[in-house]
Amino acid sequence: MTYWLGVLVQTCIYMIAIIGVSILSGFCGLFTLGHAGFMAIGAYTSAIVVNTFDVPIFVGLLAGMLLSTLLGLLIGAPTLRINGDYFIIATMGIGEAIYLLSQYLIPVTGGPYGYMDFHSFRGMEALFYVVPILIVVIVVTYFFIKSKHGRNIVALRENEMAALTVGINVYRYKMISMGYSCALCGLAGGLLAHYMTNVNPAMFTSTKSNDLVIAVVLGGRGSLTGAIIAAMILTPLPELLRFSSAQEWRLIMYGLTIVLVILFRPTGLYGDREFSISGLAKWIKRHSQRLMKRGEN
Amino acid sequence: MSTVALGLYNVCKSFGGLKASNNINIEVLEHEIYGIIGPNGAGKTTLFNLITGVIAPTSGTIRIYDKDITNLAPDKICGVGIARTFQNIRLFNAVSVLENLMIACQQTIHYSALDGCLRTPRFRREEKAAQEKCMAILEKFNLLQYKDVAAGKLPYGSQRRVEIMRAIMTNPRVVLLDEPAAGMNEEETATLAEMIRMLQKEYNLTIVVIDHHMDLIMEICDRLTVINFGEQLMTGTPEQAQSDQKVIDAYLGVDDE
């Protein structure tokens, strides 16, 4: 039972990170291959701050969020000014750099063995942190993307030139998306640290960075609902496949699932729409009508 | 003498050795509908790109009312009161028509990101005002039934209208229309002419139109400028242009004999 609760906690944590990357890659259209690095910043910062200054966990989480955001903006400041693929290369570089630093900066990070013995969640405590934070993140992000600022971010994904001519400061909104995504990844990293009770470099490899973007693409670029569903499927998937005879095949099944979705739902599971009660009602009505017609024939 | 809404003074733009605009002088008066015509490749769109700050002029000055906008960034130029449409339509294709217009309202919406995230009363008030404004213009353009359709899925003619509406939603003083009648038949062009006149009156605009449809230009423009190979051939009324020998030569070619 505790094992499945653990899977639940991890799903919630990764959902926060995926929602962050969704703002940057899904809504703003800027792909990133290094956001696990920002999770690492959040994780190490939170663990170190809590351990060194003996402050409550949420102070550590805030510190992790802040540092991760600042670093993200620092990387974004020069690379988001120029068009092209420079930004994606920069994110890749920073992800890799953070990974290597965490491995070799042994006095600070503890090296490959990881940073441990800091104040962490005890048992169920993790759920009481993670679930409320996740709910706040979802609600705030939903409000954000449905506001003027969210619309501007989508506008520059859709057509940068047109966005400029309606007076949108493209650079500023790219920086806002970058800051937002780094803040959420930092937060997720911090939560992960206090849940795992140990932070080590292997938790934040480039594979993890890729997983985040894959989740966004699978969910549907520009859909918060899609990001949430993708997180619910992809995070527990490797765990579900851990059991039965699927054991050795689990990574292959994981890859296969992704290929199938890309083949049959190229716009992602949820496209760029959002879940709504009225939308669900319409969907049910349409499909029930279709079923009735089939019945008549 | 009425005020000059948009002024180009000795504007030049070269791309390497090519002179896309050579010493252009245009004064568009307030509330005028002004035409810019010329054969393909004459440098008409370049002129619009210069005015909207997409490219910087090599030399010369561009003014809107009393403000020098020569080297302003495109997003700042929108704030000064210039809006444009594009020759090849540029909409926010994946989002709905209503949202396209709401995006264009962004300059008149002032709430902060925090207001947006927390849905404060200020957010609700400003959002409602913008939405009402967008609905009103949708109704005027008879596109209300398409408000929730993704802009990219609309038929071509409607997309053009959405682009014009989007330009109006930025609260401009001067609107630049780049080939609004491209791909339209006679009947549609006539409707468009009527619409441009209606817009000019309704929103007190100054409008600059580039187009190849001579009947549109001749019908709606108070004055016009003809350009060819970046050179300004003449400026005057449509009647003057029709009888100008240089203009006729540019369009029909010169007899070599």
Side-chain angles (χ1 to χ4, degrees):
Chain A
M1 198 58 213
T2 41
Y3 173 76
W4 290 110
L5 279 175
V7 173
L8 178 68
V9 169
Q10 278 199 49
T11 305
C12 291
I13 291 173
Y14 278 108
M15 199 179 284
I16 294 171
I18 289 167
I19 289 171
V21 174
S22 162
I23 290 294
L24 186 67
S25 300
F27 286 89
C28 193
L30 292 165
F31 276 87
T32 158
L33 290 176
H35 262 56
F38 294 104
M39 287 182 77
I41 295 288
Y44 280 109
T45 309
S46 185
I48 292 170
V49 164
V50 166
N51 200 20
T52 320
F53 303 106
D54 199 25
V55 285
I57 287 178
F58 77 86
V59 177
L61 292 175
L62 278 179
M65 255 173 103
L66 201 69
L67 196 68
S68 164
T69 312
L70 286 179
L71 186 73
L73 294 179
L74 202 69
I75 305 298
T79 49
L80 290 174
R81 273 186 199 282
I82 33 183
N83 284 322
D85 303 326
Y86 302 101
F87 176 72
I88 196 168
I89 294 168
T91 56
M92 221 169 123
I94 193 72
E96 210 55 25
I98 292 170
Y99 170 72
L100 289 173
L101 276 178
S102 63
Q103 220 162 19
Y104 293 106
L105 220 61
I106 296 170
V108 184
T109 63
Y113 292 112
Y115 191 85
M116 46 197 121
D117 293 330
F118 53 90
H119 181 61
S120 292
F121 302 134
R122 276 186 217 89
M124 288 299 92
E125 204 190 353
L127 267 183
F128 293 112
Y129 266 87
V130 169
V131 173
I133 289 177
L134 175 65
I135 291 170
V136 170
V137 164
I138 290 176
V139 171
V140 166
T141 307
Y142 180 77
F143 285 171
F144 176 72
I145 59 172
K146 292 289 172 198
S147 77
K148 160 196 163 181
H149 305 280
R151 281 196 302 264
N152 285 358
I153 284 170
V154 173
L156 64 95
R157 175 194 73 196
E158 285 299 307
N159 197 318
E160 210 170 303
M161 176 66 91
L164 275 174
T165 55
V166 297
I168 295 172
N169 185 333
V170 168
Y171 174 66
R172 180 163 164 243
Y173 278 98
K174 281 183 179 171
M175 285 290 271
I176 290 178
S177 335
M178 180 66 175
Y180 201 102
S181 71
C182 290
L184 288 191
C185 281
L187 175 63
L191 288 168
L192 194 65
H194 295 289
Y195 164 71
M196 291 292 206
T197 72
N198 169 311
V199 196
N200 61 69
M203 288 156 69
F204 308 106
T205 55
S206 56
T207 318
K208 279 278 184 275
S209 293
N210 298 345
D211 285 351
L212 294 176
V213 181
I214 287 170
V216 170
V217 174
L218 274 191
R221 291 175 65 190
S223 167
L224 183 62
T225 318
I228 293 169
I229 293 177
M232 288 197 296
I233 297 171
L234 290 187
T235 325
L237 191 65
E239 301 300 330
L240 293 174
L241 297 174
R242 195 186 287 276
F243 295 100
S244 73
S245 53
Q247 175 74 345
E248 298 117 63
W249 295 88
R250 81 191 176 102
L251 282 177
I252 291 170
M253 304 261 284
Y254 179 74
L256 189 68
T257 316
I258 290 162
V259 171
L260 285 177
V261 173
I262 287 170
L263 275 179
F264 294 106
R265 292 293 296 239
T267 54
L269 292 173
Y270 232 80
D272 56 3
R273 294 162 298 145
E274 296 295 349
F275 172 80
S276 71
I277 302 293
S278 59
L280 183 70
K282 264 185 216 156
W283 187 86
I284 291 173
K285 202 173 154 196
R286 206 171 55 231
H287 282 258
S288 57
Q289 274 170 353
R290 201 179 288 173
L291 278 179
M292 300 248 268
K293 265 192 198 141
R294 213 175 280 170
E296 280 164 22
N297 295 343
Chain B
M1 174 95 194
S2 46
T3 31
V4 177
L6 174 70
L8 281 80
Y9 303 101
N10 306 319
V11 171
C12 299
K13 175 69 195 178
S14 339
F15 295 106
L18 177 77
K19 286 205 163 117
S21 301
N22 192 11
N23 214 18
I24 304 284
N25 282 285
I26 295 175
E27 282 192 327
V28 182
L29 302 179
E30 195 174 29
H31 301 154
E32 205 173 19
I33 299 182
Y34 199 96
I36 293 177
I37 59 171
N40 280 326
K44 300 177 302 277
T45 301
T46 303
L47 225 47
F48 272 15
N49 285 341
L50 286 169
I51 298 169
T52 51
V54 176
I55 51 177
T58 315
S59 64
T61 324
I62 302 168
R63 283 172 179 280
I64 172 159
Y65 289 87
D66 291 332
K67 203 174 155 55
D68 187 341
I69 57 161
T70 312
N71 285 310
L72 230 50
D75 53 310
K76 297 286 179 308
I77 281 178
C78 175
V80 178
I82 296 184
R84 76 176 285 187
T85 64
F86 294 90
Q87 193 175 346
N88 41 345
I89 305 171
R90 290 174 193 261
L91 290 173
F92 307 121
N93 285 333
V95 301
S96 73
V97 171
L98 179 61
E99 243 169 277
N100 265 268
L101 302 184
M102 290 288 281
I103 291 168
C105 288
Q106 64 98 19
Q107 283 196 109
T108 52
I109 303 177
H110 299 291
Y111 61 74
S112 68
L114 199 66
D115 283 313
C117 290
L118 300 176
R119 300 229 154 156
T120 57
R122 186 172 179 202
F123 164 87
R124 286 167 204 277
R125 197 172 57 236
E126 292 192 3
E127 215 45 18
K128 200 171 156 228
Q131 194 149 349
E132 275 165 10
K133 209 171 99 185
C134 295
M135 296 300 262
I137 198 171
L138 277 168
E139 201 163 354
K140 200 169 285 168
F141 277 71
N142 283 324
L143 283 173
L144 206 53
Q145 73 270 30
Y146 291 131
K147 74 179 171 68
D148 294 322
V149 180
K153 289 195 177 135
L154 288 185
Y156 182 79
S158 307
Q159 288 196 12
R160 283 236 171 259
R161 279 191 284 169
V162 173
E163 213 190 14
I164 294 173
M165 281 193 283
R166 189 180 66 189
I168 305 274
M169 282 292 100
T170 63
N171 276 351
R173 290 191 281 183
V174 178
V175 176
L176 315 177
L177 303 175
D178 198 344
E179 299 206 15
M184 285 188 177
N185 61 29
E186 252 168 66
E187 198 181 325
E188 287 168 324
T189 309
T191 326
L192 180 79
E194 215 159 281
M195 196 180 81
I196 293 175
R197 269 213 213 90
M198 179 272 281
L199 287 176
Q200 193 277 325
K201 281 205 195 78
E202 194 107 349
Y203 295 93
N204 270 325
L205 297 170
T206 306
I207 297 179
V208 184
V209 192
I210 290 179
D211 218 298
H212 286 299
H213 284 60
M214 281 309 142
D215 29 346
L216 176 79
I217 295 285
M218 295 303 158
E219 197 187 323
I220 62 170
C221 290
D222 302 309
R223 291 192 306 143
L224 53 79
T225 287
V226 187
I227 50 176
N228 192 24
F229 294 118
E231 304 276 350
Q232 193 168 349
L233 287 187
M234 67 87 61
T235 292
T237 62
E239 291 75 31
Q240 284 170 334
Q242 274 172 316
S243 54
D244 191 288
Q245 193 53 46
K246 273 192 285 180
V247 176
I248 295 169
D249 289 348
Y251 271 90
L252 301 178
V254 190
D255 218 342
D256 276 336
E257 285 168 40

